[in-house]
Amino acid sequence: MTRREMDLRFPLMLAAAFTGGATSILNADAPSTQPTAHGHMRNGASDAIKTLIQEPLAKMAKPVVAMITLTLPPGASSSPHKHTGPVFAYLLDGEIENQVEPNPPQRYKPGEFFYEPPMHVHRMMKNLSATKIAKLLIVQVEEKGVPFTIRG
């Protein structure tokens, strides 16, 4: 699978995983697969589905999952803020520096990901390029009717 194909299919796989239909989005043109005893699809010796990160969700009365893309212009950075629910981020393009307390700043390249626990201060996210955009795929768990981002 090429990088472009992965970029196009990843959001579908992620959405299917949240709805319990992860096995339904495998390509029709892929070699035949058989589920393992644990429900994972096998393609020869390699798994077609790989868990990148798994974290508990916050307890919410009316949870809603949102999948968004975030594009950071060259050199752009965010100001400190918190989120009321967890954030799962996957870097599609570019290179960023990101800091979520209590961790030190970390750099991320395409294909890398991070988790932001609810109510932890997100100190900053910065596009490290002066000429290219950075693009992230973000899955966030919100509570319906409650603001998700708290500035400051």
Side-chain angles (χ1 to χ4, degrees):
M1 182 179 304
T2 67
R3 167 90 177 142
R4 180 168 164 69
E5 290 171 328
M6 181 61 184
D7 286 349
L8 294 173
R9 292 181 187 169
F10 182 76
L12 295 173
M13 292 188 303
L14 195 54
F18 274 101
T19 61
T23 58
S24 67
I25 48 83
L26 295 174
N27 314 358
D29 60 345
S32 67
T33 58
Q34 295 295 320
T36 67
H38 300 292
H40 294 127
M41 298 303 289
R42 284 223 167 254
N43 180 2
S46 65
D47 285 334
I49 297 173
K50 179 181 177 185
T51 300
L52 298 177
I53 186 170
Q54 186 173 13
E55 295 289 339
L57 296 178
K59 292 185 180 184
M60 298 178 177
K62 296 184 260 179
V64 176
V65 175
M67 184 184 309
I68 62 173
T69 56
L70 172 64
T71 302
L72 294 171
S77 63
S78 66
S79 58
H81 61 278
K82 299 177 189 177
H83 295 294
T84 57
V87 174
F88 300 84
Y90 180 89
L91 190 60
L92 297 169
D93 290 310
E95 186 174 351
I96 64 166
E97 183 173 47
N98 187 61
Q99 182 182 10
V100 178
E101 287 187 354
N103 300 322
Q106 296 180 357
R107 290 181 175 221
Y108 296 91
K109 295 179 181 177
E112 296 179 333
F113 51 89
F114 61 90
Y115 169 71
E116 194 175 325
M119 300 307 290
H120 282 232
V121 177
H122 189 175
R123 283 280 160 220
M124 64 90 177
M125 181 187 310
K126 179 179 179 183
N127 182 346
L128 295 175
S129 175
T131 59
K132 298 178 182 174
I133 65 163
K135 188 172 185 178
L136 295 99
L137 176 67
I138 297 180
V139 175
Q140 57 194 38
V141 182
E142 310 171 5
E143 185 163 4
K144 188 173 183 174
V146 175
F148 184 67
T149 302
I150 301 169
R151 299 281 173 203

